[in-house]
Amino acid sequence: MEGEASVNKLHTQIEIKPQGQEPPPTYSSVVDNSEMDIQPEGKLPFFKSRYRQRASDTWLISLLVILHLVAFITTTLFNYFSTGSVFFQPLSENPLLGPSASTLDKVGALRRAFLVQNHLNWRFFVCPWLHAGIIHFAINISCMIFIGIHLERDYGPLRIGVIYLLSAFFGSLVCSLFVRNNPVVTSSGALFGLLGTMLSGLIRNWKVYSSKGAALAALITVLATNFLLGLLPYIDNFANIGAFISGLLLGFVLLLTPQIRQMSKNKAGLFECGVKHSKSTIKLKQKLALDRPILRSISLILFVILLSGCLVALFLGIDINHYCGWCRFIDCIPYKRWNCNDGPNTCEIMKSNSEMTLTCLYNGNTRVFPFTNISQARINDLCGMIC
């Protein structure tokens, strides 16, 4: 009798269940169900995936990393064949543990003389791929991967690729207005363009994201670290500033809404806790559907004006350093371990059978080098180091 009553009870429970109702989604055991209720309804965590990611979702950042790596290896090989002995110059010559100044000149770095006298404008397109040293390369690429992957997954490779390239080029244009007679590279400018894009994405979709504090903290940390790195020789901070402004404006123009994909009903990734199904997803999509045409139009107009102004100033050969005496300290902080002087360095040269002695006529510093058979460009590098 008891068994028969249990069967009837179970049968009754099944009959009163509403028809057509789908079972609730089940999650993998690795997902902390308590975390599902932490996120506000209909909001997205900025640094966590909203859908099951695929390897193809970040092909653009992977391609950019490969291109930067190829450019860095090429620069290193140029330095080895130029010096005949080392891949990287010592920290006393290059504090970023990278190539010599003459090597950077050969591979495409920007310098005032190249732009004004020789009109080597092809350097605008090469300079954004160059790094000043292995320290610069490691920090810049790590930050680019960290920021770029999240942006590419949220907004797609096309829009992020356009912003990346335009910001890199705009940063080189701004650099040309401030560059002095020292070689500089502008690869950090593209990273600052991504940082500006990240900021515009946060501002534009402020009510959508739930982890705004963590995103802002990460943005400020990456920005401050790379800006301080730009105070060393061979890295141009004005390119970073220009690219950041470019990325911010282009982000307002091109970043319409994050890409949200429908997840499987019975599957969820480890961090897919910021999107709720049914009503929450509908409300989220309604929020993302809103657009700001006035903000987009103003941002586009400002970007076109700035780009046109920089191009006109470049063709006129304007050097802003003539009007701003303190601007050089934004780009390079003088220190005893490196040289920020862009003036002509003149040294007295004395050679013996196996040694070469250089004496700087500017400050009287003297140094003996255990070699004599080097090029004039290399002698200029050593003269600049001791002056």
Side-chain angles (χ1 to χ4, degrees), residues 147-321:
I147 300 296
I149 283 179
H150 293 287
L151 291 176
E152 184 179 359
R153 285 174 175 174
D154 281 357
Y155 301 104
L158 178 60
R159 285 181 280 185
I160 298 303
V162 171
I163 293 175
Y164 184 93
L165 295 177
L166 287 178
S167 297
F169 178 71
F170 186 80
S172 296
L173 284 180
V174 175
C175 170
S176 67
L177 305 181
F178 293 89
V179 68
R180 298 181 293 164
N181 208 29
N182 289 330
V184 293
V185 296
T186 61
S187 56
S188 294
L191 170 63
F192 274 75
L194 294 180
L195 292 174
T197 304
M198 175 181 170
L199 179 60
S200 65
L202 281 172
I203 296 174
R204 190 178 181 89
N205 303 290
W206 186 258
K207 295 182 179 181
V208 174
Y209 293 118
S210 62
S211 55
K212 297 180 285 288
L216 286 175
L219 187 151
I220 294 173
T221 300
V222 174
L223 189 148
T225 300
N226 286 272
F227 187 84
L228 292 176
L229 193 68
L231 297 176
L232 299 178
Y234 307 127
I235 302 177
D236 192 86
N237 256 342
F238 292 105
N240 298 340
I241 297 173
F244 181 83
I245 297 173
S246 171
L248 181 66
L249 295 176
L250 290 174
F252 285 131
V253 175
L254 298 177
L255 300 190
L256 305 182
T257 58
Q259 292 180 345
I260 305 298
R261 299 180 185 178
Q262 185 67 34
M263 291 188 298
S264 173
K265 296 179 180 179
N266 298 321
K267 294 183 180 180
L270 181 61
F271 297 112
E272 289 165 358
C273 56
V275 176
K276 296 184 178 181
H277 297 278
S278 65
K279 294 182 179 179
S280 300
T281 305
I282 295 174
K283 291 180 180 179
L284 178 61
K285 291 182 178 180
Q286 289 174 349
K287 289 181 180 180
L288 298 181
L290 300 178
D291 194 14
R292 300 174 177 87
I294 297 178
L295 179 61
R296 292 175 59 195
S297 301
I298 294 176
S299 300
L300 180 60
I301 293 173
L302 287 177
F303 175 76
V304 172
I305 291 174
L306 291 176
L307 180 63
S308 303
C310 289
L311 288 172
V312 171
L314 173 65
F315 292 139
L316 295 178
I318 295 177
D319 184 2
I320 297 183
N321 292 297

Side-chain angles (χ1 to χ4, degrees), residues 75-76 78-80 82-83 99-108 381:
T75 304
T76 303
F78 263 91
N79 191 72
Y80 177 80
S82 297
T83 60
S100 63
S102 59
T103 298
L104 291 175
D105 287 336
K106 292 178 181 178
V107 296
D381 292 338

